[in-house]
Amino acid sequence: MAVEVVYRSSRDLERLFMDKAEADRHDKMLELAEALAAALQKATPSLSEQQAEDIGVFMARHRDLFAKAFKNNPEVLQELPASAEPA
Amino acid sequence: MAVEVVYRSSRDLERLFMDKAEADRHDKMLELAEALAAALQKATPSLSEQQAEDIGVFMARHRDLFAKAFKNNPEVLQELPASAEPA
């Protein structure tokens, strides 16, 4: 038995990482997902909380692709996988 | 009476512009909105077509802000207006 260090995001207490950089990436992804969900739900009140959260997480997981799409290249969105499951 | 030139996007035949650059901007906005709506509806099948379209147009209208959010700064989304109406 030994004591070991694990890392987690304060936004998702259940997911533990051995690697701090990975925990950081997860935290940043969730930060973006939360900001997106809040913005979309404010703009589209007919969205359920669950739908807003799902869309936020989906877009945050594919952050680089959406960054390109918003910057100047909407076509890159065709590269997205069909499912909202984790890549 | 006189003949004059007006411009429109082939994606939105009803909206006419006197200025070609403005018609261009409208076309680019709609291009992004359509790509977003298609991507989100594929990823979140519970979204109605109308919801996906509304979200696409909303995000495309605030393209610069979302570009920043996806690049590195989710907090800018707090600057968004509450309503999905045209800015």
Side-chain angles (χ1 to χ4, degrees), chain B residues 51-71:
Chain B
Q51 285 176 317
E53 198 185 312
D54 289 349
I55 295 175
V57 169
F58 173 74
M59 296 183 95
R61 280 192 199 283
H62 299 285
R63 174 176 203 150
D64 294 345
L65 220 54
F66 279 98
K68 278 186 214 161
F70 279 99
K71 200 171 166 209

Side-chain angles (χ1 to χ4, degrees), chain A residues 26 28-41 47-63 66 84, chain B residues 40 43-44 47 55 59 66 69-70 74 77:
Chain A
H26 188 59
K28 287 257 182 304
M29 186 279 286
L30 292 174
E31 182 193 11
L32 176 58
E34 284 174 17
L36 288 166
L40 295 182
Q41 216 176 8
L47 274 192
S48 72
E49 207 170 313
Q50 187 63 53
Q51 286 176 316
E53 199 185 309
D54 289 349
I55 295 174
V57 168
F58 174 74
M59 296 182 94
R61 280 191 200 283
H62 299 286
R63 174 175 203 149
F66 280 97
Chain B
L40 293 182
T44 316
L47 274 191
I55 295 175
M59 296 183 95
F66 279 98
F70 279 99
L77 295 181

Side-chain angles (χ1 to χ4, degrees), chain B residues 10-65:
Chain B
S10 60
R11 298 170 205 272
D12 177 8
L13 302 183
E14 286 176 25
R15 185 121 177 234
L16 301 179
F17 296 88
M18 303 305 291
D19 181 46
K20 184 167 184 304
E22 253 184 81
D24 248 1
R25 271 197 296 280
H26 188 60
D27 184 62
K28 287 257 181 303
M29 187 280 285
L30 292 174
E31 182 193 12
L32 176 58
E34 284 174 17
L36 287 167
L40 293 182
Q41 216 177 8
K42 224 165 58 174
T44 316
S46 75
L47 274 191
S48 72
E49 205 169 317
Q50 187 63 53
Q51 285 176 317
E53 198 185 312
D54 289 349
I55 295 175
V57 169
F58 173 74
M59 296 183 95
R61 280 192 199 283
H62 299 285
R63 174 176 203 150
D64 294 345
L65 220 54

Side-chain angles (χ1 to χ4, degrees), chain A:
Chain A
M1 304 274 271
V3 169
E4 61 185 7
V5 176
V6 293
Y7 302 92
R8 69 182 185 186
S9 161
S10 60
R11 298 170 206 271
D12 178 7
L13 304 184
E14 286 175 26
R15 183 118 179 237
L16 301 179
F17 295 88
M18 303 305 292
D19 181 44
K20 185 165 183 305
E22 252 184 81
D24 247 2
R25 272 197 296 278
H26 188 59
D27 183 63
K28 287 257 182 304
M29 186 279 286
L30 292 174
E31 182 193 11
L32 176 58
E34 284 174 17
L36 288 166
L40 295 182
Q41 216 176 8
K42 226 165 55 174
T44 316
S46 75
L47 274 192
S48 72
E49 207 170 313
Q50 187 63 53
Q51 286 176 316
E53 199 185 309
D54 289 349
I55 295 174
V57 168
F58 174 74
M59 296 182 94
R61 280 191 200 283
H62 299 286
R63 174 175 203 149
D64 293 345
L65 219 55
F66 280 97
K68 276 185 216 161
F70 279 99
K71 201 170 166 210
N72 53 26
N73 195 357
E75 287 134 54
V76 296
L77 295 181
Q78 290 167 17
E79 294 168 23
L80 283 168
S83 137
E85 287 308 297

